[in-house]
Amino acid sequence: MPPKIRELISMLESAGFENRGGKGSHRNFKHSQGSTSVTVSGQLGDDAKHYLIKAKL
């Protein structure tokens, strides 16, 4: 079972990513030490899509 969006966000924040805001259900995260960025879309209770999990890793 894939992780929920809220779990994915928690993993990103613990890895050093900062929430830069977003529009609607989109949230933009950028790593504080580099130029890596990840956009997470969906409601907090939704299952994370496979491409979001791959982008996080």
Side-chain angles (χ1 to χ4, degrees):
M1 176 177 246
K4 299 290 184 185
I5 296 291
R6 73 173 63 88
E7 295 168 354
L8 186 63
I9 290 172
S10 176
M11 286 187 268
L12 286 169
E13 289 174 340
S14 66
F17 284 82
E18 297 176 0
N19 189 350
R20 308 275 294 165
K23 193 169 194 178
S25 65
H26 288 72
R27 296 161 195 84
N28 299 309
F29 290 88
K30 186 166 183 160
H31 197 273
S32 59
Q33 297 287 324
S35 62
T36 305
S37 63
V38 178
T39 300
V40 177
S41 63
Q43 300 298 320
L44 294 176
D46 292 345
D47 290 336
K49 303 291 185 193
H50 64 89
Y51 56 86
L52 290 175
I53 298 167
K54 287 177 90 173
K56 188 257 179 217
L57 301 173

